[in-house]
């Protein structure tokens, strides 16, 4: 399995890896060494926290390296009149009876609270490749689905202003 990511996604992940390896890792190693000198390790909370922070950093580095290694790099370009990656779309949700706006992004940059919806989500899959005026079926699962009508679309582009997800 792989994630479909853009070249900007890959670049942003590599920048984070570089920062974590060159800046953060030496700081965390120094913190572990400093707190180790505080005494009995079985009761040394600072040492345990420093080790935990170092391990989280190392885990994030491995995660990002694996994402880069297994990623399928995609071109975010789409036709001028169809919904594509990084486009902002305004839809009328028939189930909720109101308008909603989304920007379609890669899974690495999704943040539903900010209106950034993954192209792999049920809504994203339903909207990709459609046109203004289309009524699309959003299939959430076998028992739940609903319709949306695309009211407006603003073409977007892949820029580095959208942060990659953290965990």
């Amino acid at each position: 399995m792989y994630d479909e990511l853009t070249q900007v996604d890959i670049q942003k992940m590599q920048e984070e890896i570089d920062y974590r390896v060159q800046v953060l890792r030496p700081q965390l190693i120094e913190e572990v060494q400093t707190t180790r000198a505080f005494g009995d390790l079985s009761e040394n909370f600072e040492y345990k926290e420093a080790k935990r922070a170092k391990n989280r950093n190392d885990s994030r580095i491995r995660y990002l390296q694996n994402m880069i290694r297994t990623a399928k790099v995609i071109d975010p370009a789409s036709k001028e009149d169809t919904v594509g990656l990084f486009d902002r779309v305004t839809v009328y949700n028939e189930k909720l009876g109101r308008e909603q706006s989304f920007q379609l992004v890669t899974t690495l940059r999704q943040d539903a609270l900010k209106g950034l919806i993954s192209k792999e989500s049920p809504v994203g899959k339903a909207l990709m490749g459609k046109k203004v005026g289309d009524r699309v079926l959003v299939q959430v699962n076998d028992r739940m689905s609903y319709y949306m009508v695309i009211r407006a679309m603003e073409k977007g582009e892949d820029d580095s202003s959208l942060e990659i997800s953290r965990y």
Side-chain angles (χ1 to χ4, degrees):
M1 171 140 176
Y2 56 82
D3 281 307
E4 292 183 337
L5 305 173
T6 66
Q7 193 59 45
V8 172
D9 290 332
I10 302 290
Q11 176 185 338
K12 290 177 80 65
M13 287 190 296
Q14 190 58 56
E15 289 170 1
E16 183 177 340
I17 290 170
D18 293 345
Y19 169 77
R20 286 179 175 276
V21 169
Q22 297 168 6
V23 177
L24 200 53
R25 183 183 276 163
Q27 291 173 355
L28 294 171
I29 289 172
E30 182 179 331
E31 182 70 21
V32 169
Q33 291 170 344
T34 302
T35 57
R36 184 180 179 90
F38 290 171
D40 183 9
L41 296 182
S42 65
E43 296 179 14
N44 188 337
F45 176 76
E46 290 86 1
Y47 173 74
K48 290 177 184 174
E49 262 319 292
K51 286 283 286 183
R52 190 172 293 131
K54 180 190 167 300
N55 291 340
R56 274 194 308 267
N57 185 58
D58 291 344
S59 176
R60 178 70 175 176
I61 291 168
R62 285 190 305 274
Y63 169 77
L64 292 171
Q65 288 171 334
N66 187 52
M67 288 285 288
I68 290 172
R69 189 174 63 255
T70 61
K72 176 183 177 187
V73 179
I74 58 171
D75 180 9
S78 64
K79 294 180 182 174
E80 194 61 35
D81 63 340
T82 62
V83 176
L85 198 54
F86 302 108
D87 294 348
R88 181 158 300 283
V89 182
T90 301
V91 298
Y92 176 75
N93 185 322
E94 293 180 2
K95 182 176 177 81
L96 298 176
R98 64 182 170 103
E99 279 193 355
Q100 297 175 294
S101 289
F102 306 110
Q103 184 174 12
L104 297 175
V105 297
T106 58
T107 56
L108 193 62
R109 299 195 220 174
Q110 68 186 355
D111 186 344
L113 296 176
K114 294 180 181 177
L116 303 173
I117 304 295
S118 168
K119 71 180 199 67
E120 301 297 326
S121 70
V123 171
K125 286 179 183 177
L127 293 175
M128 289 292 288
K130 302 301 189 287
K131 297 179 179 185
V132 173
D134 286 353
R135 183 175 185 240
V136 298
L137 175 66
V138 178
Q139 188 72 42
V140 177
N141 58 35
D142 292 339
R143 296 183 312 270
M144 184 179 170
S145 62
Y146 57 93
Y147 284 94
M148 292 180 145
V149 178
I150 301 173
R151 295 248 170 110
M153 174 187 63
E154 179 184 328
K155 296 305 275 184
E157 60 182 40
D158 188 7
D159 62 14
S160 59
S161 67
L162 298 173
E163 292 297 317
I164 60 175
S165 301
R166 306 275 185 233
Y167 66 77

